[in-house]
Amino acid sequence: DRLSVQGEYLVARVFRDTDTDPTFGGLYLLGSLFLTPDARSYDAKSASFTSLIPTNPLSWRARQIGALELALRFSYVDLSDVQVRGGQAAEVMSGLNWYWNRYVRMQFNIGYAHVSGGPRPGDYTILQARIDLQL
């Protein structure tokens, strides 16, 4: 299927020799949609997604663009408990993933984060790009 939705909730408890043991938590929700006739494959035996091989790998000569995927993620983390004041952060991130072939993927992201209660509160705009090489 070209549409993918996933999420995760996590809790981490830190055991210390002194004072009380703080507990931290977070979550994320992610949705993505392929704009090209591609889909993510799941291997039940290894319980993981397999590497994407674009239906039409990037080729200027053949006028093929590879695979394009739009993504949107919301995440939240709370790093404050007991005597620890790490703060809270909520983030919304959008992205475009461009799969050239089975070995090369470029990612472009823009997002917004709101951080409160910690040492560096504020609102942040995030721009990032990266290239992934899989050998």
Side-chain angles (χ1 to χ4, degrees):
D1 197 6
R2 292 175 38 210
L3 177 66
S4 175
V5 178
Q6 67 187 54
E8 184 176 11
Y9 174 75
L10 60 98
V11 174
R13 186 154 187 202
V14 179
F15 296 100
R16 303 188 302 179
D17 293 334
T18 60
D19 300 320
T20 56
D21 299 332
T23 301
F24 308 111
L27 61 89
Y28 80 89
L29 297 170
L30 169 68
S32 71
L33 175 68
F34 278 95
L35 303 176
T36 52
D38 297 281
R40 199 173 311 285
S41 298
Y42 184 76
D43 180 14
K45 190 173 183 178
S46 66
S48 64
F49 288 99
T50 60
S51 296
L52 181 80
I53 301 173
T55 305
N56 299 302
L58 178 65
S59 170
W60 302 118
R61 182 173 294 161
R63 296 185 181 192
Q64 297 178 170
I65 62 169
L68 292 174
E69 178 186 32
L70 286 178
L72 183 66
R73 182 184 71 221
F74 170 78
S75 57
Y76 174 80
V77 65
D78 185 351
L79 300 176
S80 293
D81 190 22
V82 191
Q83 294 104 355
V84 178
R85 296 288 170 237
Q88 298 81 29
E91 175 192 66
V92 176
M93 182 72 74
S94 62
L96 175 68
N97 298 321
W98 181 19
Y99 299 82
W100 293 10
N101 51 45
R102 69 177 304 167
Y103 306 107
V104 181
R105 172 178 67 174
M106 291 189 72
Q107 295 179 282
F108 306 94
N109 300 99
I110 184 167
Y112 166 80
H114 175 74
V115 179
S116 63
R120 308 238 0 179
D123 296 323
Y124 299 90
T125 300
I126 302 156
L127 294 170
Q128 61 186 28
R130 75 179 195 198
I131 186 165
D132 293 335
L133 303 174
Q134 182 174 333
L135 303 175

